[in-house]
Amino acid sequence: MRIAVDGRPLRHPFSGIGVYTREILARIADDHDLFIYLDRRPAQPSDLKGTFRSGPSRRLNGFVTANVAFAHWARHDRVDVYFSPRHHLPLTLRHTPAVVTIHDMVWRVAPETMHPLNRLLDTALMPLALARADRVIAVSADTATRIAEYCGRRDVTTINNAPREASHVVPFTHPRPYFLFVGTKEPRKNLRGVVEGFRRASATGLDHGLVLVGPAGWGEPGLRGVEAVNPADERIVDLGPISDERLTGVYQSSTALVLASFYEGFGIPLVEAMHHGKPVITSGTGAMAQVAGDAGILVDPDNPASIARAFLKLAKDREAHRRLAANARRRSRAFSWDRAAQTTIDVLDEATNRP
């Protein structure tokens, strides 16, 4: 197939949507002709195989480029199908079959945790994309349920995310055993609640550290935005964004992952931790509970005491940790990028044969 792709997520390689886009495209590029569209020139060239097209470097033109130029390029390239891995479709895309992937419904479930501009765009454009798309992909059963009202009578195909696998490992050491947080540091991720739970657990005997991985987002720039802890506290290390190879080493040496977000459409760090045989501490609602299954401890993200109890349980109860780690290894086998890519191709092919 000749596939046009909204390649904008590739400019954000540490975000969940960026990981999803890269992993899917890397697996279909050898067998299909990809035409990858960007609203502006990338800071670094991608190593993906395909034809890249980009708009002007001035950011203010990005909206026009994505909604007008992308559709024009798709017609020019005579593609069989347009694939958007990021919630939106070009407003001027008319006759080309289209598939859109929906990762979450933050604008409906937790709008207060979004940057105002992103909230406005998703509120306006996501329902239009769902109405226009010939086929729809959701990354979790929870997300599929939440978007059903916008999809009419069309089926939604659920295709789960999966863990990244690095080609080699960069070992990581910490002065003490540690829990791990992976994600963009923004309000939805509840980093304040995680740190407050860690502080409370430490006050009652927790001997672990806490390692943070991921870029700063809006509204919460790392530890400087967390009043609950002294940034100079040696127990807490903020590594920022790191390579997949180094992240693998950080996962392997951790005690467990903590992802107590207020809302996630999936939660890729959960399956990555499980892939390395690590239990997870995560919120007991929606997609996070679905993904974690029996491989972790579910907590109330609004209650730091609940998070503190989970820290203490995994640090002090060796039998519980062993059992959950075994469950994590078993459960991780249900998530595969190879299967996700093949099912995505099946959906794209179905779109080209729409009635």
Side-chain angles (χ1 to χ4, degrees):
M1 281 187 289
R2 294 168 66 86
I3 306 170
V5 181
D6 183 338
R8 288 177 288 174
L10 297 173
R11 293 195 281 102
H12 306 284
F14 299 104
S15 72
I17 301 179
V19 171
Y20 165 85
T21 302
R22 184 188 67 195
E23 296 290 340
I24 294 294
L25 296 187
R27 285 165 172 78
I28 67 177
D30 286 339
D31 298 319
H32 302 275
D33 295 324
L34 300 185
F35 297 84
I36 301 170
Y37 302 155
L38 302 169
D39 55 345
R40 61 185 188 274
R41 295 179 182 88
Q44 294 181 339
S46 172
D47 58 358
L48 286 171
K49 181 188 299 184
T51 300
F52 282 78
R53 305 196 188 284
S54 60
S57 59
R58 295 187 298 277
R59 188 167 187 171
L60 289 178
N61 292 333
F63 182 83
V64 174
T65 300
N67 284 283
V68 178
F70 284 14
H72 170 73
W73 293 339
R75 291 191 298 272
H76 176 270
D77 293 327
R78 302 175 65 182
V79 301
D80 298 305
V81 63
Y82 187 100
F83 174 43
S84 171
R86 58 170 308 281
H87 298 170
H88 305 160
L89 289 169
L91 294 174
T92 58
L93 189 71
R94 291 290 180 262
H95 304 296
T96 304
V99 174
V100 65
T101 296
I102 305 298
H103 297 266
D104 56 59
M105 292 287 281
V106 182
W107 65 276
R108 281 289 303 273
V109 181
E112 70 283 356
T113 69
M114 294 185 74
H115 187 284
L117 177 58
N118 293 336
R119 181 173 67 242
L120 175 63
L121 290 173
D122 269 4
T123 301
L125 298 180
M126 194 185 297
L128 294 176
L130 287 169
R132 163 64 181 85
D134 296 281
R135 296 291 186 272
V136 177
I137 295 170
V139 299
S140 68
D142 181 75
T143 297
T145 299
R146 294 181 189 276
I147 66 176
E149 65 180 282
Y150 298 96
C151 296
R153 302 179 65 179
R154 285 166 300 156
D155 291 335
V156 176
T157 302
T158 300
I159 304 176
N160 290 152
N161 293 318
R164 288 167 284 185
E165 295 188 39
S167 57
H168 66 277
V169 179
V170 176
F172 176 78
T173 59
H174 190 276
R176 62 181 76 203
Y178 62 89
F179 289 94
L180 175 63
F181 166 94
V182 177
T184 301
K185 304 177 189 76
E186 59 186 14
R188 180 167 57 90
K189 301 295 184 177
N190 191 27
L191 184 56
R192 280 178 167 81
V194 168
V195 171
E196 173 62 15
F198 177 76
R199 184 189 67 80
R200 293 188 185 195
S202 297
T204 57
L206 181 69
D207 63 351
H208 279 52
L210 176 64
V211 173
L212 313 179
V213 172
W218 81 280
E220 197 163 86
L223 291 178
R224 289 173 297 172
V226 181
E227 296 85 356
V229 69
N230 178 359
D233 189 337
E234 67 172 7
R235 294 172 306 156
I236 299 183
V237 176
D238 187 354
L239 300 180
I242 59 178
S243 68
D244 289 355
E245 291 77 16
R246 192 177 181 204
L247 178 59
T248 297
V250 176
Y251 273 123
Q252 289 181 347
S253 298
S254 67
T255 295
L257 176 86
V258 54
L259 187 72
S261 304
F262 294 117
Y263 170 69
E264 295 281 349
F266 184 84
I268 289 178
L270 296 173
V271 294
E272 292 183 334
M274 292 190 293
H275 175 70
H276 295 290
K278 304 300 178 180
V280 299
I281 298 170
T282 194
S283 301
T285 58
M288 289 172 284
Q290 292 175 352
V291 172
D294 60 357
I297 298 177
L298 304 182
V299 300
D300 178 358
D302 290 305
N303 184 357
S306 173
I307 300 172
R309 288 193 293 271
F311 280 133
L312 290 167
K313 178 73 172 177
L314 287 178
K316 295 179 176 294
D317 189 335
R318 293 186 178 181
E319 175 54 29
H321 186 279
R322 184 203 63 76
R323 173 174 50 81
L324 292 173
N327 292 347
R329 293 187 186 93
R330 172 186 50 76
R331 184 160 179 75
S332 70
R333 293 192 285 272
F335 304 95
S336 162
W337 283 123
D338 289 340
R339 288 196 298 271
Q342 182 55 59
T343 309
T344 299
I345 285 296
D346 293 342
V347 173
L348 293 170
D349 185 60
E350 290 171 3
T352 66
N353 297 300
R354 61 184 178 176

